Amino acid sequence: MRILLVNPNTTEAVTESCAREARTVAASGTEIVPLTGEFGARVITSRAENAVAAHAVLTILARHHADVDAVLLAVSYDTALLAARELLTIPVVGMTEAALVTAHLVGSRFGLVTFGTPTVYRDLVAERGLSARLAGIRSIDTAASEVYANPQSVERRVIEAASALAKDDAAECVVLSGAAMAGFARRIKEHGPVPVLDGIACGVALCEMLVRLELTAPSIGSMVSPAGRETHGLDPALAALLGKRSRGGPN
Amino acid sequence: MRILLVNPNTTEAVTESCAREARTVAASGTEIVPLTGEFGARVITSRAENAVAAHAVLTILARHHADVDAVLLAVSYDTALLAARELLTIPVVGMTEAALVTAHLVGSRFGLVTFGTPTVYRDLVAERGLSARLAGIRSIDTAASEVYANPQSVERRVIEAASALAKDDAAECVVLSGAAMAGFARRIKEHGPVPVLDGIACGVALCEMLVRLELTAPSIGSMVSPAGRETHGLDPALAALLGKRSRGGPN
Amino acid sequence: MRILLVNPNTTEAVTESCAREARTVAASGTEIVPLTGEFGARVITSRAENAVAAHAVLTILARHHADVDAVLLAVSYDTALLAARELLTIPVVGMTEAALVTAHLVGSRFGLVTFGTPTVYRDLVAERGLSARLAGIRSIDTAASEVYANPQSVERRVIEAASALAKDDAAECVVLSGAAMAGFARRIKEHGPVPVLDGIACGVALCEMLVRLELTAPSIGSMVSPAGRETHGLDPALAALLGKRSRGGPN
Amino acid sequence: MRILLVNPNTTEAVTESCAREARTVAASGTEIVPLTGEFGARVITSRAENAVAAHAVLTILARHHADVDAVLLAVSYDTALLAARELLTIPVVGMTEAALVTAHLVGSRFGLVTFGTPTVYRDLVAERGLSARLAGIRSIDTAASEVYANPQSVERRVIEAASALAKDDAAECVVLSGAAMAGFARRIKEHGPVPVLDGIACGVALCEMLVRLELTAPSIGSMVSPAGRETHGLDPALAALLGKRSRGGPN
Amino acid sequence: MRILLVNPNTTEAVTESCAREARTVAASGTEIVPLTGEFGARVITSRAENAVAAHAVLTILARHHADVDAVLLAVSYDTALLAARELLTIPVVGMTEAALVTAHLVGSRFGLVTFGTPTVYRDLVAERGLSARLAGIRSIDTAASEVYANPQSVERRVIEAASALAKDDAAECVVLSGAAMAGFARRIKEHGPVPVLDGIACGVALCEMLVRLELTAPSIGSMVSPAGRETHGLDPALAALLGKRSRGGPN
Amino acid sequence: MRILLVNPNTTEAVTESCAREARTVAASGTEIVPLTGEFGARVITSRAENAVAAHAVLTILARHHADVDAVLLAVSYDTALLAARELLTIPVVGMTEAALVTAHLVGSRFGLVTFGTPTVYRDLVAERGLSARLAGIRSIDTAASEVYANPQSVERRVIEAASALAKDDAAECVVLSGAAMAGFARRIKEHGPVPVLDGIACGVALCEMLVRLELTAPSIGSMVSPAGRETHGLDPALAALLGKRSRGGPN
């Protein structure tokens, strides 16, 4: 099984650390295929950068989806998640979504730690329909560069944030939402009062599950893959994918 | 006052009909500046096309925002709405959002008529925090080309859908959500049991209101305009806007 | 265009300051017609006083609606809002509702500053179906008389409350809910971290929008104007309006 | 124990049938004191009439509350419920609210049958915070006069509506919301698939419960009885009640 | 009228204090029949103990329901509430549920004081569909033994918790959720800023109300009493009740 | 890795078909250990039977948890799910919950097909905090025996129900909620318009994921394993587990 791990932050180091964590958790026989976005922000920190990154993600998927069995979005925003799921007929999982659904299997309520703006993540959880058990969100104010330059310091702050979520907000597990936090959960797990979840680790396992389930593609509803679409100015692979002949359409 | 009307459906006829409706409702002294997306789908009908269109919208805004006082997104998906609002310090209004907030001033519950998939619009209403009074959504299955080739027939079906929403779902006003429906509300208003709202008409008036209010830009929160962002591969205007020196930052 | 500005607080000074703000923001050609409630509390601060004021508002509307194009309720409770909207076939907008819907166009979440009890305003926001993006409510404990006697002091406290909503509750814009705060937003706008919204200013613009849209009155649903109602003991104008012959009814 | 039963529909026959049902269910030792509104609509069917009736209810309460132990609002709108509860320090219960809370003790989800507009009752349930288990609302289109002239026919339609709620909407009990339906539940109880609840019967029992509990009045929050309020043009009893010296205030 | 008061905490002292409070509030003519669970935890403090207790409750009910008119669950978890309501055709009320619905008749928002984990009670309120007006939950960390050994100290802490809910969370009344707190509300009622509610007192009155209403049992829906069920290994009375011949079934 | 598959329906055939499906999907190296409840209903169809089954589940877990790495509840009610998760420090997954969280990774909204009462499953989805994307529930009225005697007929009805959910309720994937439906999803997957999910298959994969993640047990919150509990009358293994010495407690 091959899982395409797409990181639209145009920073190779983030892709590499996500791929490393993905390989640590992957089943034997699962190959991780990491790819970094070709245009956009070095580190996505705003909705505008995320909107641009969505285009980058879809372009990568159009070019590479045929060679893989599932896609894992290695970006805390789950950039282009629904668009990618709609576009392709193979499973697509976002790293934050992956940790959120796993959280439902672990505690009664969950918290979320992010390097970004809480409001954006609050909206992300809501858009996935998973707000009912959200206990709280804590943001750690750090530059992405700091995460790699000084990981111990950042890890300590993540532990503090997770502990505060458990003690003050009654979170019973904590989602670490950030591609740059890949691997943190594994390293800090002895140091907090509640379990912490890494979206990459959860996402790899969920991709594997979905591939094993061999679900059929839908023929009705909003998740039917678009076809016969007329576009211009797009990457040829993306244009071809959107313009493909419809299943069951006239020949 | 100048309002930039952006249509990321790459079909000039849609832009023109939206601009025509916008000018009909605009106050004297308001100039409508219509622009069409430069890349992407002729008619946006999927999340994937909408994700690409978001990039196109932001590129247009980066190039043209300095010459206008407000932005109206002339696309039923309100493509890139929050990203655009965050990116710019002038008001940005989406046509569907505009009709939705207006609906709150008119009836107790509202319905929505679309040419697209109801699920996508249900999510859009929810993401704007405006689901509490949503009575129902009806989709009209028609090709966009049909709207211009055979408007009477489509109008008749819109009237039927609006009436069904009023009678069966207790909608007390109806939002017409579709750039291709610009002007319909004006033409059919005598023929349904409840008021119908056109997002372009509402959006122009709301842009005018926001410009008049002369609100300040926020200095904290998720709507602070990004600055100092490092990107690559983007349109120069967009890269420059994201990379601008931060307000109050070090020189 | 003539907008009836109704203040059911039976204090002329409040009406005057609301009218002043309304005229500041009104388009040229819009005439503001201010009226003060004829019975009830000097300053409405309880549900009981507000219930009485609803009767006063409807009586004023019955007497004066025929001479105007829209109604703006200049009272933070939006007293009798739905009853008035149902009773009349011209647009009716409440000042707090006006600011709330405008807030949806500005930030991702909004706060509310009031001189009253937060619970009452929390319920008001919920009743309008607009709670999903409510970040928090702050109450300023001041006598209404203080607002006019010592405006700078009150303004300073409003700025503090708005700042606290932004910093502690992640509000990205703030609604000032209070007829006695009319004009504050304009004066304090340079002093807070997020935009502040004045219900009178928003309400005037929204009344103008609704008049321009020339919406039809509904023929079905809960917003159909009552007719043929038998009453006794009411103001003759109100009795006549409720007892009018039904549209399309038998003669 | 004396319970003031207030019917703001200015129709004595409605008051009488409600009082009759109240006396049927009242404990021995409970006296029902029925009063009819002194001004307003014969039969309240619109929000405007209900707003006027709120004033009438508060006026009656101001005059008569000192002689009773609790108040039951005998009107499906629960007219002025929160205002009355705030105004007085004795228990106040609305008939529809009474049936709604009782419904929570009986089935998993409940339906509601009304002679009025469903939207108004949907909002009423929501405003009481009791929507989570609302299965559906059915309206019976009948004139109030018909209820007294032809009760068997109306009862049959109520049974049909209750059955439809149970079969189609999974309601497991049904609230009959209408002062004119007082006593119906008792008469039709053998004829439907699920229990039916009469607000008058529930309300009398709940008034009795609240009197027995001897709860203290709150000293903080939105339910503190207003005091020291300056009004003009009101009924002397109501003015006196609003203007009373505050508990614990300066003498 | 006979009310079976079931306490599945296998501690007689708790049963006795609940029965004492129940008798204090019961109408003349109401007999309280207290029973203690025959197996399980001395004091239920976890979901696991509560799950076991549910079996104990149903066993008691199977043996004793035929001799009583209603059932009151004297345990803060409302153990087996829906199962018991489904199993029997007489009214079943839980003590926490009883206080929660009563709270809706008293204040605008309510708080809850517990000796247990707030998350469990938050879920309990949500499962009853009564979260909309929940202001907050405070937990008092005390051993159950302490409640009987040192009641004044515990009462003082309950008053503090109730006051904090009123002042900090805007609770306008407070539910005391704990069988061991039976009678507290009566004793502390002069000492807090808002009314406090005792589930036993509320529950007795609500049982009496439901018996008086003489509601019919449902013939469709999830609350129809199970019949014809094949089991093994159960208490004979419970097996017989589940296996009884269906109403209206073939003979 | 060993997964304990617990079926509290006391019918071996159900356990066997669930174990068969579990083994089909399990990774190599995963051993499925099936166990059937020792007391209770042959087929759980009511809340009362489910409450009894919870006791049976906890008893089995107390006896057997030490020999396995995770627990899968093979019963559509997810019987005793939270109690079991709290009681043990190894992962516990319910089959319906497993399919529900998987559904979030597949479509935008999901439906549910059951052999039971929709209201019970609606509540179950809500209690797991997963209602936001529930499109609808369809019940198939069949005896459990029929499922094994006449599987093709039942499968056809499941396909019809899934198709109706997709077409009428906009479900984009469908959860099959029923232990007796184990394996159906695999067999019918070519015959419906949207993907169908089997809780056993999803549950096995999710158990494997959770074991791989090696999460720590919480030290605070409602999911801390109970300890030092005093009980009587319980199975010795369960009594011992509840009464175990607390982690970190005094020796």
Side-chain angles (χ1 to χ4, degrees):
Chain A
M1 185 188 310
R2 290 162 57 88
I3 298 175
L4 185 62
L5 182 152
V6 182
N7 168 30
N9 295 283
T10 58
T11 300
E12 290 287 347
V14 175
T15 313
E16 282 161 22
S17 73
C18 289
R20 198 155 44 234
E21 177 63 17
R23 285 170 184 135
T24 303
V25 79
S28 72
T30 297
E31 182 185 352
I32 304 299
V33 183
L35 280 175
T36 305
E38 300 191 355
F39 59 86
R42 294 294 178 202
V43 179
I44 301 168
T45 65
S46 67
R47 294 182 185 92
E49 292 162 300
N50 191 46
V52 169
H55 187 187
V57 165
L58 297 183
T59 303
I60 287 175
L61 296 183
R63 290 186 193 157
H64 297 281
H65 73 96
D67 303 326
V68 296
D69 300 291
V71 173
L72 175 58
L73 301 173
V75 49
S76 68
Y77 286 80
D78 288 354
T79 307
L81 175 62
L82 294 187
R85 191 169 283 158
E86 171 205 85
L87 184 65
L88 304 181
T89 56
I90 58 174
V92 179
V93 173
M95 67 174 282
T96 296
E97 170 194 56
L100 292 173
V101 303
T102 304
H104 280 76
L105 306 175
V106 173
S108 184
R109 296 165 70 79
F110 61 90
L112 186 146
V113 175
T114 172
F115 296 148
T117 308
T119 295
V120 174
Y121 289 86
R122 188 173 298 280
D123 285 357
L124 188 155
V125 177
E127 286 167 23
R128 302 308 305 126
L130 298 170
S131 294
R133 294 195 169 276
L134 176 61
I137 297 179
R138 300 279 162 136
S139 175
I140 293 175
D141 185 16
T142 189
S145 57
E146 184 71 2
V147 180
Y148 294 96
N150 200 350
Q152 275 80 4
S153 162
V154 176
E155 282 175 20
R156 202 165 44 240
R157 298 175 68 191
V158 170
I159 293 168
E160 287 167 9
S163 298
L165 284 164
K167 286 172 189 157
D168 300 340
D169 298 345
E172 300 190 335
C173 65
V174 172
V175 167
L176 303 188
S177 186
M181 279 191 263
F184 272 47
R186 186 175 303 278
R187 291 199 296 274
I188 70 176
K189 74 178 177 181
E190 304 299 343
H191 301 293
V194 294
V196 285
L197 297 171
D198 179 327
I200 295 295
C202 297
V204 166
L206 293 171
C207 281
E208 290 174 353
M209 172 180 76
L210 290 169
V211 172
R212 269 201 263 168
L213 291 176
E214 297 182 335
L215 303 173
T216 50
S219 60
I220 66 175
S222 78
M223 282 297 160
V224 174
S225 179
R229 308 305 308 154
E230 197 180 344
T231 63
H232 79 116
L234 300 192
D235 177 271
L238 183 53
L241 185 57
L242 287 166
K244 71 179 179 293
R245 189 174 295 172
S246 172
R247 293 193 308 166
N251 59 325
Chain B
M1 185 188 310
R2 289 161 58 88
I3 298 175
L4 185 62
L5 182 154
V6 182
N7 168 30
N9 295 282
T10 58
T11 301
E12 290 287 347
V14 174
T15 314
E16 282 162 22
S17 74
C18 289
R20 197 155 43 237
E21 178 63 17
R23 285 172 183 136
T24 303
V25 79
S28 73
T30 296
E31 182 186 353
I32 303 300
V33 182
L35 281 175
T36 305
E38 299 191 356
F39 59 86
R42 295 294 179 201
V43 179
I44 301 168
T45 65
S46 67
R47 294 182 186 92
E49 293 162 300
N50 191 45
V52 169
H55 187 188
V57 165
L58 297 183
T59 303
I60 287 176
L61 296 184
R63 290 185 193 158
H64 297 281
H65 73 96
D67 303 327
V68 296
D69 300 291
V71 174
L72 175 58
L73 301 173
V75 48
S76 69
Y77 287 80
D78 288 353
T79 307
L81 175 62
L82 294 187
R85 191 169 284 159
E86 172 204 84
L87 184 66
L88 303 182
T89 55
I90 57 174
V92 179
V93 173
M95 66 174 285
T96 295
E97 169 194 56
L100 292 173
V101 302
T102 304
H104 280 75
L105 306 175
V106 173
S108 185
R109 296 165 70 79
F110 61 89
L112 186 147
V113 174
T114 172
F115 296 148
T117 308
T119 294
V120 175
Y121 289 87
R122 186 174 299 280
D123 285 358
L124 187 155
V125 177
E127 286 167 23
R128 303 307 305 127
L130 298 170
S131 293
R133 295 198 166 274
L134 175 62
I137 297 179
R138 301 279 163 138
S139 176
I140 293 175
D141 185 17
T142 189
S145 56
E146 184 72 4
V147 180
Y148 294 97
N150 200 348
Q152 275 82 5
S153 161
V154 176
E155 282 175 19
R156 201 164 46 241
R157 296 175 68 192
V158 171
I159 293 169
E160 287 167 9
S163 298
L165 284 164
K167 286 172 188 156
D168 300 340
D169 298 343
E172 299 190 335
C173 65
V174 173
V175 167
L176 304 188
S177 186
M181 280 191 262
F184 273 47
R186 187 176 301 279
R187 291 199 296 275
I188 70 175
K189 74 177 178 182
E190 303 300 342
H191 301 293
V194 294
V196 286
L197 296 171
D198 179 329
I200 294 294
C202 297
V204 166
L206 292 172
C207 281
E208 290 174 352
M209 172 180 75
L210 290 169
V211 172
R212 267 201 268 170
L213 290 176
E214 296 182 335
L215 302 174
T216 50
S219 60
I220 65 175
S222 78
M223 282 298 161
V224 174
S225 180
R229 308 304 308 153
E230 199 180 341
T231 63
H232 79 116
L234 300 191
D235 178 271
L238 183 53
L241 185 56
L242 287 166
K244 69 177 180 293
R245 188 173 297 174
S246 171
R247 292 193 308 166
N251 59 325
Chain C
M1 185 188 310
R2 289 162 58 89
I3 298 175
L4 185 62
L5 181 153
V6 183
N7 168 30
N9 296 283
T10 59
T11 301
E12 290 286 346
V14 174
T15 314
E16 282 161 23
S17 74
C18 289
R20 199 157 40 237
E21 177 64 16
R23 285 171 183 135
T24 302
V25 78
S28 71
T30 297
E31 181 184 353
I32 303 298
V33 183
L35 280 174
T36 304
E38 299 190 357
F39 59 85
R42 294 295 178 202
V43 178
I44 301 167
T45 65
S46 67
R47 294 182 185 91
E49 293 161 300
N50 191 46
V52 169
H55 187 186
V57 165
L58 297 182
T59 303
I60 286 176
L61 296 184
R63 290 185 192 157
H64 297 281
H65 73 95
D67 304 326
V68 297
D69 300 291
V71 174
L72 175 58
L73 302 173
V75 48
S76 69
Y77 287 80
D78 288 355
T79 307
L81 175 62
L82 294 186
R85 190 169 284 159
E86 172 204 84
L87 185 65
L88 304 182
T89 56
I90 57 173
V92 179
V93 173
M95 66 175 283
T96 296
E97 169 194 57
L100 292 173
V101 303
T102 304
H104 280 75
L105 306 175
V106 173
S108 183
R109 296 165 71 79
F110 61 90
L112 185 146
V113 175
T114 172
F115 295 149
T117 308
T119 294
V120 175
Y121 290 86
R122 186 173 300 280
D123 285 358
L124 187 155
V125 177
E127 286 167 23
R128 303 307 305 127
L130 297 171
S131 293
R133 295 196 167 274
L134 176 62
I137 297 179
R138 302 278 163 137
S139 175
I140 293 175
D141 185 17
T142 189
S145 56
E146 184 73 2
V147 180
Y148 295 97
N150 200 349
Q152 275 81 3
S153 162
V154 177
E155 283 175 19
R156 201 162 47 237
R157 296 175 68 192
V158 170
I159 293 169
E160 287 167 9
S163 298
L165 284 163
K167 285 172 189 156
D168 300 341
D169 297 346
E172 299 190 335
C173 64
V174 172
V175 167
L176 303 188
S177 185
M181 279 190 262
F184 273 47
R186 185 176 304 280
R187 290 199 296 273
I188 70 175
K189 74 178 176 181
E190 304 300 343
H191 301 293
V194 294
V196 286
L197 297 171
D198 179 328
I200 295 295
C202 298
V204 166
L206 293 172
C207 280
E208 290 174 353
M209 172 180 76
L210 290 169
V211 172
R212 268 201 265 168
L213 290 176
E214 297 182 333
L215 303 173
T216 51
S219 60
I220 66 176
S222 78
M223 282 297 160
V224 174
S225 180
R229 308 305 309 154
E230 198 180 342
T231 63
H232 79 115
L234 300 191
D235 177 270
L238 183 54
L241 184 56
L242 288 166
K244 70 180 181 291
R245 188 174 295 173
S246 171
R247 292 194 308 166
N251 58 326
Chain D
M1 187 187 309
R2 290 162 57 89
I3 297 175
L4 185 63
L5 181 154
V6 183
N7 168 30
N9 295 282
T10 58
T11 301
E12 289 287 345
V14 174
T15 313
E16 282 162 21
S17 73
C18 289
R20 198 157 42 238
E21 177 63 17
R23 285 173 183 132
T24 302
V25 79
S28 73
T30 297
E31 181 186 353
I32 304 299
V33 183
L35 280 175
T36 305
E38 299 191 357
F39 58 87
R42 294 295 179 203
V43 178
I44 301 168
T45 65
S46 67
R47 294 182 186 92
E49 291 161 301
N50 190 47
V52 169
H55 187 188
V57 165
L58 296 183
T59 302
I60 286 175
L61 296 184
R63 291 187 193 156
H64 298 281
H65 73 97
D67 303 328
V68 297
D69 301 291
V71 174
L72 175 58
L73 301 173
V75 49
S76 68
Y77 287 80
D78 288 354
T79 306
L81 175 61
L82 293 186
R85 191 168 284 157
E86 171 206 84
L87 184 66
L88 303 182
T89 56
I90 58 174
V92 179
V93 172
M95 66 174 284
T96 296
E97 169 194 57
L100 292 173
V101 303
T102 304
H104 281 75
L105 306 174
V106 174
S108 183
R109 297 165 70 78
F110 60 90
L112 186 147
V113 174
T114 172
F115 295 150
T117 308
T119 294
V120 174
Y121 289 86
R122 186 174 298 281
D123 285 357
L124 188 154
V125 177
E127 285 167 23
R128 303 307 306 124
L130 298 169
S131 293
R133 295 197 166 273
L134 175 62
I137 298 179
R138 302 277 163 139
S139 176
I140 293 175
D141 184 17
T142 188
S145 57
E146 183 73 3
V147 179
Y148 294 95
N150 201 349
Q152 275 82 5
S153 161
V154 176
E155 283 175 19
R156 201 163 48 239
R157 296 176 67 192
V158 171
I159 294 168
E160 288 167 9
S163 299
L165 283 164
K167 286 173 188 155
D168 300 341
D169 298 345
E172 300 190 335
C173 65
V174 172
V175 168
L176 304 188
S177 185
M181 279 191 262
F184 272 48
R186 186 176 303 278
R187 292 199 295 275
I188 70 175
K189 74 177 178 182
E190 304 299 342
H191 302 294
V194 294
V196 287
L197 297 170
D198 180 327
I200 295 295
C202 298
V204 167
L206 293 173
C207 281
E208 291 175 352
M209 172 181 74
L210 290 169
V211 172
R212 267 202 266 169
L213 291 177
E214 296 181 337
L215 303 174
T216 50
S219 60
I220 65 175
S222 78
M223 282 298 161
V224 175
S225 180
R229 307 305 308 152
E230 197 180 343
T231 63
H232 80 115
L234 301 191
D235 178 270
L238 182 53
L241 184 57
L242 288 165
K244 70 178 180 291
R245 189 173 297 172
S246 172
R247 292 193 309 166
N251 58 324
Chain E
M1 185 187 311
R2 289 162 57 88
I3 297 175
L4 185 62
L5 182 152
V6 183
N7 169 30
N9 295 283
T10 59
T11 301
E12 290 286 347
V14 175
T15 313
E16 283 162 22
S17 74
C18 289
R20 199 157 40 237
E21 177 64 16
R23 285 170 183 135
T24 304
V25 78
S28 72
T30 297
E31 182 185 353
I32 303 299
V33 183
L35 281 174
T36 305
E38 299 190 357
F39 59 86
R42 295 293 178 203
V43 178
I44 301 168
T45 66
S46 67
R47 294 183 186 91
E49 292 161 300
N50 191 46
V52 170
H55 187 188
V57 165
L58 297 183
T59 303
I60 287 176
L61 296 184
R63 291 184 192 159
H64 298 281
H65 73 97
D67 303 327
V68 296
D69 301 290
V71 174
L72 175 58
L73 301 174
V75 49
S76 68
Y77 287 80
D78 288 354
T79 306
L81 175 61
L82 294 187
R85 191 168 284 158
E86 172 206 85
L87 185 66
L88 304 182
T89 56
I90 58 174
V92 179
V93 173
M95 67 174 283
T96 296
E97 169 194 57
L100 292 174
V101 303
T102 304
H104 280 75
L105 305 175
V106 174
S108 184
R109 296 165 71 79
F110 61 91
L112 185 146
V113 175
T114 172
F115 296 149
T117 308
T119 294
V120 174
Y121 290 86
R122 187 174 299 280
D123 285 359
L124 187 155
V125 177
E127 286 167 23
R128 304 306 306 123
L130 298 170
S131 294
R133 294 195 168 275
L134 175 62
I137 298 178
R138 301 278 163 137
S139 175
I140 293 175
D141 185 17
T142 189
S145 57
E146 184 71 3
V147 180
Y148 295 96
N150 200 350
Q152 277 81 3
S153 162
V154 176
E155 283 175 18
R156 202 164 45 239
R157 297 176 68 192
V158 170
I159 294 168
E160 286 167 7
S163 299
L165 284 164
K167 286 173 189 156
D168 300 341
D169 298 346
E172 299 189 336
C173 65
V174 172
V175 167
L176 303 188
S177 186
M181 278 190 263
F184 273 46
R186 186 176 303 280
R187 291 199 295 274
I188 71 175
K189 73 177 177 182
E190 305 298 342
H191 301 293
V194 294
V196 286
L197 297 171
D198 179 328
I200 295 295
C202 298
V204 167
L206 293 172
C207 281
E208 291 174 351
M209 172 180 75
L210 290 169
V211 172
R212 268 201 265 169
L213 291 176
E214 296 181 334
L215 302 174
T216 50
S219 60
I220 65 175
S222 77
M223 283 298 160
V224 174
S225 181
R229 308 304 309 154
E230 198 179 343
T231 62
H232 80 117
L234 300 191
D235 178 90
L238 183 54
L241 185 57
L242 287 165
K244 70 178 181 291
R245 188 173 295 172
S246 172
R247 292 193 307 166
N251 59 326
Chain F
M1 186 188 309
R2 288 162 59 88
I3 298 175
L4 186 62
L5 182 153
V6 183
N7 169 29
N9 295 282
T10 58
T11 302
E12 290 286 345
V14 174
T15 313
E16 283 162 21
S17 74
C18 289
R20 197 155 44 236
E21 177 63 15
R23 286 172 182 134
T24 303
V25 78
S28 72
T30 296
E31 182 185 354
I32 303 299
V33 182
L35 281 174
T36 305
E38 300 192 355
F39 59 87
R42 295 293 180 204
V43 178
I44 302 167
T45 65
S46 67
R47 293 181 186 93
E49 293 161 300
N50 191 46
V52 170
H55 188 188
V57 165
L58 297 183
T59 303
I60 287 176
L61 295 184
R63 291 185 192 157
H64 297 281
H65 73 96
D67 303 327
V68 297
D69 301 290
V71 174
L72 175 57
L73 302 173
V75 48
S76 69
Y77 287 80
D78 288 353
T79 306
L81 175 61
L82 294 187
R85 190 169 284 159
E86 172 205 83
L87 185 66
L88 304 181
T89 56
I90 57 173
V92 179
V93 173
M95 66 174 284
T96 296
E97 169 194 55
L100 292 174
V101 302
T102 304
H104 280 76
L105 306 175
V106 174
S108 183
R109 296 166 70 80
F110 61 90
L112 186 147
V113 174
T114 172
F115 295 148
T117 308
T119 294
V120 175
Y121 289 87
R122 186 173 299 281
D123 285 357
L124 186 155
V125 177
E127 285 167 23
R128 303 306 305 124
L130 298 170
S131 292
R133 295 197 166 275
L134 176 61
I137 297 178
R138 301 279 162 137
S139 175
I140 293 175
D141 185 16
T142 188
S145 57
E146 183 73 4
V147 179
Y148 295 95
N150 200 348
Q152 275 82 4
S153 162
V154 177
E155 282 176 18
R156 201 162 48 239
R157 296 176 67 194
V158 171
I159 293 169
E160 287 167 9
S163 298
L165 284 163
K167 286 172 188 156
D168 300 342
D169 298 345
E172 300 189 334
C173 65
V174 172
V175 167
L176 304 188
S177 186
M181 279 191 262
F184 273 48
R186 185 176 303 281
R187 292 199 295 276
I188 70 176
K189 73 178 178 183
E190 304 299 341
H191 301 294
V194 294
V196 286
L197 296 170
D198 179 327
I200 295 296
C202 298
V204 167
L206 293 172
C207 280
E208 291 175 352
M209 172 180 75
L210 290 169
V211 173
R212 266 201 265 169
L213 290 177
E214 296 182 334
L215 302 174
T216 50
S219 60
I220 66 175
S222 78
M223 283 297 161
V224 174
S225 180
R229 308 304 309 152
E230 198 180 342
T231 63
H232 80 115
L234 300 192
D235 178 271
L238 183 54
L241 184 56
L242 287 166
K244 70 177 180 291
R245 187 173 299 171
S246 172
R247 291 193 309 166
N251 58 325

